[in-house]
Amino acid sequence: MPEPMNAPISAPISALPGARFDGLAHIEEAGLQGMITLRGDLASKPVKAAVTAATGAKLPALRQGTQGKSGMALWMSPDELLLLCPYGEVGAVLDKVNAALGDAPALAVNVSDARALFSVSGLGAREVLGKLCPVDLSPEAFTPGMIRRTRMAQIAAAFWMEPDQSFRVICFRSVAAYAFDLLKDAARPGASVGVY
Amino acid sequence: MLILTCPCCGVTAEETEFAAGGEAHVKRFGPGASDEEFRDYIFARENPKGVHFERWRHANGCGKWFHAARCTITLEVFGTYSAQTTTPPKAICAAITAKRPGWTWRDFA
């Protein structure tokens, strides 16, 4: 018997569970990731305290990400950060963030389910993203720890580089399938350009 | 293709990462503005061959608005600057003068 339309969803599910592709680079949907958008004056004490409370990381510099004990803080714009934490702990982390913010004019929102996350790794990773984004991805220009918000073909996306030189790509969940197809197409075997 | 540098996040990218926002420094008169002033505020736009000032938004990036001074013939960008101003900064004007001596645009020169 089919479940009624208003039945509660039993467990959270990521955008494209198990989606993966091996080509010039290894592309994989990275599953559920806790994400909190934090907007406010990045130079203010309460925002710095909130970042530390949520992730254990320092406030990231312009277009950089910082790794903490329990998560990551990523620079999104002059007044916006993205905080990463385990998916199951978002509620608790959000409480910590709000406690640290106090009465400061700032906003923290759980956006975990609004986004999709992919990992792009392997030797061709720079080239795969370079085909899709108007970004200089040469090893001199784009280094581990950097984050870049940009355009991936027709959609907005952001990516940062992990210490092992693999990329993490986020986009809106509603365009996850499009983003995965783009990455897959760019990583098709035999489609190597050899720039990076 | 235009290559713009966002003054808010420092990213240099080509124009597809940005969204054009029309002419810069359009002045709204009032209260008590005349019909002609209001008409010009709504409709009258420059269409220069040469130096031009525009508003742009880093739509696929940090999301912030900014101003750009560029040449409509060569697509050369003389500089970008904060959106929170009603006149181009001196440094931008100087950069334009260095390359296009004698330029004028609306009330600026």
Side-chain angles (χ1 to χ4, degrees), chain A residues 34-163:
Chain A
M35 299 186 207
I36 294 167
T37 284
L38 175 61
R39 294 202 84 141
D41 178 0
L42 300 192
S44 72
K45 274 187 181 173
V47 168
K48 284 180 185 168
V51 173
T52 310
T55 63
K58 280 186 191 162
L59 190 85
L62 183 81
R63 287 182 279 122
Q64 296 279 330
T66 48
Q67 181 72 51
K69 270 184 187 163
S70 54
M72 240 185 132
L74 299 159
W75 192 95
M76 295 296 272
S77 90
D79 56 5
E80 181 182 346
L81 297 174
L82 184 66
L83 308 176
L84 304 183
C85 64
Y87 184 85
E89 293 169 21
V90 172
V93 172
L94 201 51
D95 286 345
K96 279 191 215 167
V97 168
N98 282 323
L101 287 175
D103 294 334
L107 182 74
V109 178
N110 176 6
V111 294
S112 313
D113 297 321
R115 306 264 172 86
L117 177 67
F118 299 94
S119 79
V120 180
S121 56
L123 287 176
R126 286 180 188 271
E127 185 165 307
V128 167
L129 281 175
K131 285 182 187 177
L132 301 170
C133 308
V135 180
D136 181 358
L137 284 160
S138 62
E140 301 82 46
F142 204 87
T143 53
M146 282 190 180
I147 177 165
R148 172 68 189 254
R149 283 175 83 175
T150 184
R151 169 184 73 87
M152 204 161 78
Q154 299 189 45
I155 55 171
F159 53 81
W160 67 93
M161 198 180 229
E162 296 281 342

Side-chain angles (χ1 to χ4, degrees), chain B residues 59-102:
Chain B
N60 285 316
C62 69
K64 302 298 180 197
W65 284 94
F66 60 92
H67 282 130
R70 69 174 181 102
C71 177
T72 58
I73 304 172
T74 62
L75 300 192
E76 177 179 7
V77 177
F78 301 113
T80 54
Y81 51 100
S82 165
Q84 283 74 36
T85 177
T86 52
T87 54
K90 280 185 183 148
I92 296 286
C93 293
I96 301 171
T97 304
K99 285 172 177 166
R100 303 284 189 279

Side-chain angles (χ1 to χ4, degrees), chain B residues 13-73:
Chain B
E14 38 98 337
E15 64 188 80
T16 61
E17 195 172 303
F18 301 87
E23 188 171 315
H25 309 305
V26 175
K27 185 181 175 186
R28 181 166 187 175
F29 296 88
S34 69
D35 287 351
E36 286 72 27
E37 282 169 340
F38 192 62
R39 175 203 65 200
D40 288 350
Y41 164 70
I42 296 285
F43 299 112
R45 293 292 180 269
E46 297 295 303
N47 185 19
K49 187 178 176 185
V51 175
H52 196 29
F53 292 85
E54 287 173 329
R55 299 194 309 148
W56 284 83
R57 192 171 86 88
H58 197 184
N60 285 316
C62 69
K64 302 298 180 197
W65 284 94
F66 60 92
H67 282 130
R70 69 174 181 102
C71 177
T72 58
I73 304 172

Side-chain angles (χ1 to χ4, degrees), chain B residues 3-13 18 58 66-68 77 79-81:
Chain B
I3 309 280
L4 295 162
T5 300
C6 173
C8 302
C9 68
V11 158
T12 299
F18 301 87
H58 197 184
F66 60 92
H67 282 130
V77 177
T80 54
Y81 51 100

